[in-house]
Amino acid sequence: MSAPTDTHCPYCSLQCGITLTPKPDGTLSLVGRADFPVNRGGLCIKGATATELLDHPERLTAPLVRDSRDDPFRQATWDEALDRIAAAVTATQERYGRDAVGAFGGGGLTNEKAYQFGKFVRVALRSRNIDYNGRFCMSSAVAAGTRAFGMDRGLPFPFDDIPKADVLVLVGSNPADTMPPAMRFLEEGRERGARHIVIDPRRTATAELAHTHLQPVPNTDLSLANGLLHIAIRENLVDEEYIATRTNGFDAVRRAVRSYWPDRVERVTGIAVPDLYELVRAMAAAPTAMILTARGVEQHADGTDTAQAWINLALALGLPGSGPGNGWGTITGQGNGQGGREHGQKADQLPGYRQLTNPAHRAHVAGVWGVDPDELPGPGVSAYELLDRMGTDAGVRALLVSASNPVVSAPNARHVEERFAALDFLAVTDIFLSETARLADVVLPTTQWAEESGTMTNPEGRVLLRRKAVEPPPGVRSDLGIWRGIADRLGRGQFFPTEPEEVFTELRRASAGGIADYAGITYQRLAAGEELFWPCPAEDHPGTSHVFTERFATPDGRANFLPVRPRLAAELPDEAHPYLLTTGRARSHYQSGTQTRRSPTLAAAVPRPYVELHPELARSLGISDGDPVRLSTPRGSAVLDARLDPGSRRDTVFVPFHWGGAACVNALTSDALDPTSRMPEFKTCPVAVEKAAIDPEEKNGAVVRPAVART
Ligand code: SF4
């Protein structure tokens, strides 16, 4: 590379624009792009230090194989590694059938890779078993949005609309830590006098900046939203004309929330009755109002219904599709959380949000792929179910993992690790030897963000061109080339181009006419700086920055209310586990930490896992700041440093989820799944908290012991 290259950050869904420029000493300078409308030059510490990943000394640069799991890895040629994978696929399928081989992808894969991975599994492996870690991140809002609006686009409007909201309600969302440059949209709103209300059990950095912070009991958001709707109806604050002309099903919801009396809602949620009234009245009185939800709403066993409850409130107030500054949206987290779920990486979907169960959809995609529709397998199972069944008669016996680290990121992670050990064969592609890769039989080194081109789609439905800026290290291949190499050995290589633009051109055809229609988006248009949001059905179409303005994407064009009630949580606090554990991100780390824990700057910023707890809770348990604290749930226990935080609830402790090994908080989290989205209940589970004896080996989670043996 000799000239500056405009590209995008490798981490979160904001996909901040950056420019990489070679320096005389051979390193790269990285600056935020002022011309990119999302970050306008702003970057968080993760993006600003992203070049630390490129020449990292732990980078994988050769395939690794081993003959048994007891052996250490040894370097192998690409031919040997790919031959081993193809042989394992063939042997497994001959013995157990096609579905005994599966794949697990990542929410950070480019659109081209997400598309090609889904196609690879259905056309080369001819298996139904593929899902991805995005199932853990936003699938409940996806399910709710699809049910209510007929379409899942995280934000039906651009970020630029956020400052236009006179009242903004953020529920279970903490952009000040997870995507700091997005805070400029909130700041702009506050500067013009907008009122911001944050609903979060933690007093987060985002809550600190809001006008109002409501701190409900974890896992009570559904009751809270129903209670707010009850007040809106009782006070005649709902938009009857909007309800009559743009929605279906309000009467059933009106009946369902009748019993959500404010004093009852206060008892359940801990939010005082006057605060409930004030919130509803503020939203109803404002010329424009917006509700944004995120993982705090979704990562529950009733996450889909909880997201629906907030959608019900938004619809009753007449917000979605009612012009700039109004609406409901969900803020996607992972790098390509939006695009990664649109093009066939999910167990039940084909590209463009087409369905595997729909004969017309199958025929369209099979036509683009050049295969018989009857060759395409049916839907598989969701991510956690795929992992939970590994190595059993009901599950896969061989798995290919790409750009994901479920040993750290899946709930009930010790159990997941056991299931990985039960596989006959595991191959992992990654840039580092992640905790999951350490369990593999074959590990393949892949290119990373700045070493390859591809498109990403951010939460607005904005499609971005992430340009290649540097050559990858010798010995490294792209996932597209890896899948082609395996497919060649299975006799299906002819279906798999390896150039990203060629794959994207095929993706455009496969998505054409679907909900997420990319037909009109080209590399040339993106390179020329056009701002393109899907659906974009033709090359002369400007793209669609705002959806739902005239009609919703449902068959009759109307949005759907749905009555929802909270289900009893899978686990309730008891004498042995009297507190609640909630998890989330730390500002300087990302997802399972495979990348950020290796960045010297980011690792120095937050070097170790910790547990945040209220000083009064700590005092009652004899815990001081920095003490080792043991957390225990029915799945295991971990010892972490105490970090006292008066912004915590007295009944709730918080642990960031970026660490693996024995410090992996997901060893403690619940694997209860939402019945619709199959999203796990990461956000809440009962936990015991106690001061741990100071044991240097155990401190900071050097040891996690199962409290209950699983059978
Ligand atoms: Fe990267 Fe997200 Fe930080 Fe932007 S906010 S620099 S996309 S990690």
Side-chain angles (χ1 to χ4, degrees):
M1 184 183 84
S2 57
T5 303
D6 289 341
T7 187
H8 293 272
C9 173
Y11 294 115
C12 86
S13 68
L14 206 58
Q15 284 297 294
C16 292
I18 60 175
T19 301
L20 292 172
T21 308
K23 295 196 286 190
D25 65 1
T27 60
L28 290 170
S29 78
L30 183 158
V31 294
R33 273 171 55 197
D35 66 331
F36 184 61
V38 174
N39 62 311
R40 294 263 181 243
L43 293 175
C44 77
I45 186 172
K46 297 186 289 290
T49 57
T51 55
E52 292 180 10
L53 301 178
L54 291 170
D55 55 357
H56 196 282
E58 291 179 43
R59 185 77 190 276
L60 297 174
T61 54
L64 302 175
V65 301
R66 54 183 167 183
D67 298 320
S68 99
R69 302 258 169 88
D70 296 328
D71 293 339
F73 285 112
R74 63 174 170 81
Q75 289 194 0
T77 64
W78 274 98
D79 275 341
E80 180 186 357
L82 294 174
D83 285 348
R84 291 215 16 194
I85 294 172
V89 167
T90 303
T92 304
Q93 292 189 323
E94 280 175 2
R95 183 162 179 201
Y96 298 107
R98 287 190 180 126
D99 294 336
V101 178
F104 196 94
L109 292 174
T110 61
N111 291 322
E112 291 78 358
K113 291 183 181 183
Y115 167 83
Q116 194 81 316
F117 206 26
K119 179 181 172 186
F120 170 80
V121 171
R122 282 137 187 160
V123 172
L125 304 182
R126 301 187 62 187
S127 167
R128 67 177 63 225
N129 281 315
I130 177 170
D131 211 56
Y132 80 127
N133 64 20
R135 182 76 68 171
F136 298 159
C137 288
M138 47 254 156
S139 51
S140 288
V142 169
T146 304
R147 209 162 61 178
F149 305 122
M151 174 193 282
D152 154 42
R153 202 178 88 177
L155 296 178
F157 41 75
F159 282 117
D160 271 344
D161 275 17
I162 293 175
K164 297 171 186 156
D166 295 307
V167 170
L168 174 66
V169 180
L170 277 168
V171 195
S173 172
N174 180 20
D177 278 333
T178 58
M179 47 175 66
M183 290 302 286
R184 77 174 182 86
F185 299 108
L186 276 65
E187 282 154 19
E188 278 175 37
R190 284 194 291 267
E191 277 166 18
R192 54 168 287 276
R195 177 161 179 211
H196 290 178
I197 297 141
V198 169
I199 299 172
D200 198 310
R202 297 173 61 217
R203 189 160 182 83
T204 61
T206 308
E208 287 282 354
L209 295 167
H211 300 91
T212 305
H213 175 210
L214 303 179
Q215 211 165 1
V217 175
N219 204 9
T220 61
D221 288 337
L222 199 161
S223 295
L224 178 58
N226 277 357
L228 296 171
L229 181 52
H230 172 105
I231 291 172
I233 294 168
R234 197 157 113 177
E235 299 257 302
N236 293 321
L237 298 174
V238 300
D239 187 335
E240 296 286 2
E241 187 188 338
Y242 175 97
I243 291 168
T245 56
R246 298 211 58 186
T247 71
N248 297 316
F250 182 58
D251 285 344
V253 170
R254 191 196 299 266
R255 285 194 296 276
V257 302
R258 232 174 238 155
S259 60
Y260 284 77
W261 297 99
D263 56 343
R264 176 187 164 203
V265 173
E266 178 183 309
R267 277 198 306 279
V268 171
T269 66
I271 305 297
V273 169
D275 291 336
L276 299 173
Y277 275 93
E278 198 184 331
L279 173 53
V280 178
R281 287 170 181 159
M283 291 187 73
T288 55
M290 184 181 286
I291 300 172
L292 298 179
T293 63
R295 305 302 85 72
V297 165
E298 298 157 24
Q299 288 178 324
H300 298 284
D302 57 3
T304 303
D305 285 350
T306 304
Q308 178 75 50
W310 289 101
I311 291 171
N312 286 343
L313 178 64
L315 288 171
L317 296 174
L319 307 180
S322 292
N326 288 309
W328 170 87
T330 182
I331 303 177
T332 303
Q334 291 198 72
N336 198 23
Q338 179 69 48
R341 68 186 188 241
E342 295 166 355
H343 297 297
Q345 198 181 185
K346 282 181 86 174
D348 52 347
Q349 286 181 356
L350 290 167
Y353 279 138
R354 286 189 162 90
Q355 297 295 317
L356 268 162
T357 49
N358 183 314
H361 291 187
R362 292 169 66 89
H364 172 84
V365 175
V368 174
W369 289 352
V371 300
D372 188 320
D374 291 339
E375 277 187 38
L376 298 181
V381 296
S382 72
Y384 185 76
E385 294 162 297
L386 179 68
L387 299 174
D388 183 39
R389 298 174 192 179
M390 289 189 296
T392 70
D393 288 345
V396 300
R397 301 281 181 158
L399 188 72
L400 312 181
V401 176
S402 182
S404 186
N405 189 14
V407 166
V408 175
S409 61
N412 198 3
R414 291 288 160 265
H415 170 65
V416 168
E417 192 169 345
E418 288 169 15
R419 297 322 315 159
F420 269 106
L423 284 170
D424 294 347
F425 181 81
L426 173 65
V428 175
T429 64
D430 212 322
I431 57 174
F432 296 117
L433 196 63
S434 69
E435 285 79 0
T436 304
R438 286 179 198 282
L439 305 177
D441 301 284
V442 176
V443 181
L444 302 174
T446 56
T447 44
Q448 57 171 312
W449 62 288
E451 299 163 355
E452 58 191 356
S453 293
T455 60
M456 307 283 279
T457 304
N458 82 351
E460 310 162 292
R462 181 196 296 265
V463 182
L464 314 160
L465 183 58
R466 198 197 252 179
R467 290 181 177 87
K468 177 177 177 176
V470 293
E471 289 300 322
V476 165
R477 292 188 183 178
S478 85
D479 293 280
L480 296 176
I482 289 169
W483 298 326
R484 169 63 182 264
I486 301 169
D488 276 337
R489 287 162 172 78
L490 298 173
R492 308 284 276 182
Q494 70 273 26
F495 296 103
F496 298 95
T498 57
E499 282 304 312
E501 187 170 358
E502 195 179 346
V503 176
F504 188 73
T505 300
E506 187 185 296
L507 178 159
R508 292 169 51 209
R509 290 198 293 126
S511 72
I515 290 172
D517 189 335
Y518 281 47
I521 301 172
T522 66
Y523 272 36
Q524 290 71 31
R525 294 183 74 183
L526 294 173
E530 282 195 70
E531 293 189 40
L532 295 174
F533 303 75
W534 67 259
C536 180
E539 289 189 36
D540 59 357
H541 190 284
T544 314
S545 59
H546 294 79
V547 290
F548 311 151
T549 50
E550 305 296 326
R551 67 191 310 277
F552 294 98
T554 52
D556 65 2
R558 298 162 74 95
N560 295 315
F561 280 98
L562 200 77
V564 286
R565 294 182 181 81
R567 272 185 293 277
L568 202 58
E571 294 172 2
L572 295 171
D574 57 21
E575 211 173 313
H577 306 95
Y579 307 105
L580 291 169
L581 167 66
T582 188
T583 65
R585 285 208 227 154
R587 186 176 302 180
S588 59
H589 286 284
Y590 178 67
Q591 301 304 89
S592 74
T594 301
Q595 298 166 95
T596 54
R597 281 185 277 124
R598 287 178 169 85
S599 156
T601 307
L602 301 179
V606 181
R608 291 161 22 157
Y610 57 88
V611 51
E612 224 172 68
L613 67 172
H614 192 279
E616 282 184 20
L617 170 61
R619 202 173 310 125
S620 73
L621 297 171
I623 295 168
S624 301
D625 201 44
D627 278 350
V629 174
R630 180 185 300 281
L631 304 182
S632 306
T633 75
R635 288 158 292 281
S637 68
V639 178
L640 304 146
D641 290 340
R643 187 181 279 192
L644 305 196
D645 181 352
S648 301
R649 285 182 59 91
R650 288 162 181 76
D651 56 4
T652 303
V653 299
F654 168 82
V655 180
F657 59 71
H658 311 292
W659 284 267
C664 178
V665 72
N666 276 326
L668 280 61
T669 51
S670 168
D671 56 10
L673 302 182
D674 180 281
T676 306
S677 68
R678 316 308 286 167
M679 186 177 199
E681 185 158 64
F682 286 102
K683 274 295 178 216
T684 323
C685 70
V687 66
V689 182
E690 60 184 336
K691 182 174 176 178
I694 296 180
D695 173 348
E697 279 200 12
E698 198 170 32
K699 195 174 179 196
N700 288 307
V703 176
V704 171
R705 298 195 176 95
V708 175
R710 284 184 69 101
T711 54

